[in-house]
Amino acid sequence: MAKLLVTGGAGFIGANFVRYWRRQHPSDAVIVLDALTYAGNRANLDGLDGVDFVHADIRDEARVCDLLRSGVDTLVHFAAESHVDRSIHGPDAFIDTNVVGTHSLLKAARKVWLDEGAGRPHRFHHVSTDEVYGSLGPADPAFHEATPYAPNSPYSASKAASDHLVRAYHHTYGLQVTTTNCSNNYGPYQFPEKLIPLFLINALHGRPLPIYGDGMNVRDWLYVEDHCRGIELVLAGGRIGETYNIGGGEELPNMVVIDTLCAAVDAAFAADPDLARRFPDAPAAAGRASASLKTYVTDRPGHDRRYAIDETKIRGELGYRAAHGFEQRFAETLAWYLANEPWWRAVMDGSYKSWVERNYATR
Ligand code: NAD
Ligand code: TDX
């Protein structure tokens, strides 16, 4: 039986991971440590038993040491500031959490597992992003683990710094680390500032769908549960000190994702008359196309053109492969958001609304 400490477990991917882990490994103990920033939501873990929740910051080194001393042998580190647009408007929090926070966790792990624990079996798994590799041209080969780092946003630069610190703690002190760099996740519990949930909820309210640039930036879409399985495989069989890229095998221009979303919303309204009652401001409620809301806005500064993942390493070593294609998983995601309106209404209250009003009003 393992004892996991999951940082950022009340956020989008962390909560999906905790749910996945409880299903797959019910006898393991799980502690979630989360500061509950605007992106963290205690309700993301509702209905789960066997999970201890600790409301704390990853920079609270003493607190993390105490938790590690309670018998934790595996730390899975999701906690981060994760939204590129926010990092452009205010990079400080990204340095504080992603760089200083990750370093604080590494110091705690070194102290408890190496210094006090005489190297008892342990694992520090760091969750990172493909954005550290920068941007690809249309004909460039996909990112692989040896692609040089070339981050372009304060967010990706802060994640790159954290990746390097994790690597250094392995090579310098012998900390047992693994790192995964994954592509764009989608699925339940994603905060509605990221492309898919933002555009869906805007479409339901008849609000513009703000397309950055020409809408032809390409992302590799990864269903969050596939990501969780990839991390599980790395925890079970990944080589210590190694990094593994995880992708969804679905490279799509934003416009294709947006058109798929608009068509799916239109089809959902056509199939379920109750949606027009629930969302009377949606164009689809009046039989009009959701695509009529598409609006080109000023591009994101430093907007990476294309991400693509070469998953040869994780597939060859650990047998990873995304389980389902985008079409099926996207439909399930849409259905989840339509069925969980109270969830997204609750998380969109407060700080999110004022941030959107400040930063999107003039675009
Ligand atoms: P998220 O923004 O939804 O959640 C982040 C969580 O971390 C929240 O629960 C928040 O409260 C918590 N947190 C933030 N600062 C903290 C601090 N100082 N101390 C403790 N907790 C803190 O993020 P996500 O989309 O779930 O991403 C999780 C991880 O995966 C991040 O490290 C991110 O860089 C990485 N990642 C995300 C994606 C993606 O598509 N979402 C893709 C690649 C990598
Ligand atoms: O309003 C929007 N309009 C738009 O055109 C938003 C929010 C996004 N976009 C574009 C920008 C990107 O090309 O859609 C694409 C996806 O944008 P995001 O959802 O903001 O994701 P991205 O910037 O690609 O980063 C995501 O994947 C990698 C996560 O937010 C990161 O945490 C992760 O590391």
Side-chain angles (χ1 to χ4, degrees):
M1 180 183 138
K3 186 165 184 181
L4 277 70
L5 176 60
V6 180
T7 72
F12 161 49
I13 307 175
N16 277 283
F17 178 81
V18 171
R19 289 179 175 280
Y20 177 85
W21 201 268
R22 290 297 301 150
R23 283 199 305 276
Q24 302 296 324
H25 307 271
S27 60
D28 285 356
V30 176
I31 304 172
V32 167
L33 180 146
D34 199 296
L36 297 180
T37 67
Y38 79 94
N41 189 349
R42 186 71 183 77
N44 293 358
L45 300 168
D46 276 357
L48 282 181
D49 54 10
V51 175
D52 286 334
F53 183 81
V54 177
H55 185 193
D57 197 293
I58 54 170
R59 289 166 293 174
D60 186 344
E61 194 182 328
R63 191 81 183 272
V64 173
C65 283
D66 283 345
L67 293 172
L68 294 178
R69 286 187 192 107
S70 74
V72 169
D73 51 24
T74 305
L75 190 158
V76 188
H77 176 32
F78 293 96
E81 289 292 337
S82 70
H83 189 38
V84 174
D85 291 334
R86 284 178 190 260
S87 83
I88 294 166
H89 293 287
D92 288 0
F94 288 73
I95 307 305
D96 293 345
T97 285
N98 301 358
V99 184
V100 177
T102 300
H103 187 231
S104 183
L105 286 178
L106 288 164
K107 285 193 289 179
R110 178 185 170 208
K111 187 181 289 176
V112 174
W113 283 336
L114 300 181
D115 298 348
E116 299 170 12
R120 70 178 159 88
H122 65 270
R123 176 74 68 87
F124 188 111
H125 182 76
H126 177 54
V127 178
S128 190
T129 172
D130 59 358
E131 300 200 16
V132 298
Y133 300 122
S135 184
L136 294 169
D140 288 340
F143 299 133
H144 56 91
E145 288 77 0
T147 301
Y149 274 32
N152 291 318
S153 71
Y155 163 70
S156 52
S158 69
K159 292 297 289 187
S162 67
D163 293 7
H164 293 322
L165 285 166
V166 171
R167 175 188 159 89
Y169 266 65
H170 171 65
H171 286 280
T172 304
Y173 304 114
L175 197 69
Q176 308 283 289
V177 308
T178 41
T179 294
T180 43
N181 295 81
C182 73
S183 54
N184 286 59
N185 285 225
Y186 67 101
Y189 301 104
Q190 185 166 34
F191 194 83
E193 64 187 350
K194 309 283 166 62
L195 180 74
I196 289 177
L198 175 72
F199 276 39
L200 170 59
I201 290 167
N202 280 7
L204 296 177
H205 292 93
R207 293 195 288 253
L209 308 179
I211 301 167
Y212 298 161
D214 63 1
M216 294 310 287
N217 301 67
V218 173
R219 299 291 184 262
D220 174 347
W221 292 95
L222 169 63
Y223 188 63
V224 65
E225 192 174 296
D226 287 327
H227 181 196
C228 295
R229 201 163 32 77
I231 295 172
E232 179 188 38
L233 288 169
V234 172
L235 286 173
R239 285 181 291 133
I240 300 301
E242 292 290 320
T243 67
Y244 294 87
N245 287 350
I246 305 178
E250 295 280 0
E251 252 194 84
L252 297 171
N254 291 340
M255 200 56 84
V256 170
V257 174
I258 294 162
D259 285 337
T260 304
L261 185 147
C262 289
V265 170
D266 295 348
F269 274 72
D272 178 2
D274 194 43
L275 288 176
R277 183 193 58 75
R278 286 169 59 196
F279 305 108
D281 297 330
R288 284 184 287 113
S290 301
S292 61
L293 297 170
K294 292 198 295 190
T295 307
Y296 289 95
V297 299
T298 311
D299 205 357
R300 173 188 277 175
H303 193 178
D304 288 333
R305 190 66 177 169
R306 174 178 164 238
Y307 304 143
I309 291 269
D310 177 344
E311 54 187 38
T312 307
K313 182 174 176 181
I314 192 168
R315 184 173 297 181
E317 288 187 20
L318 303 173
Y320 169 81
R321 190 185 284 268
H324 296 279
F326 182 76
E327 221 166 285
Q328 179 182 337
R329 291 313 205 176
F330 181 82
E332 289 168 15
T333 302
L334 175 74
W336 186 88
Y337 277 88
L338 290 176
N340 288 277
E341 184 183 346
W343 177 87
W344 51 260
R345 287 215 183 276
V347 303
M348 288 174 80
D349 279 346
S351 66
Y352 172 76
K353 272 191 182 154
S354 55
W355 186 84
V356 169
E357 278 156 16
R358 268 200 322 279
N359 292 299
Y360 284 89
T362 53
R363 282 176 183 245

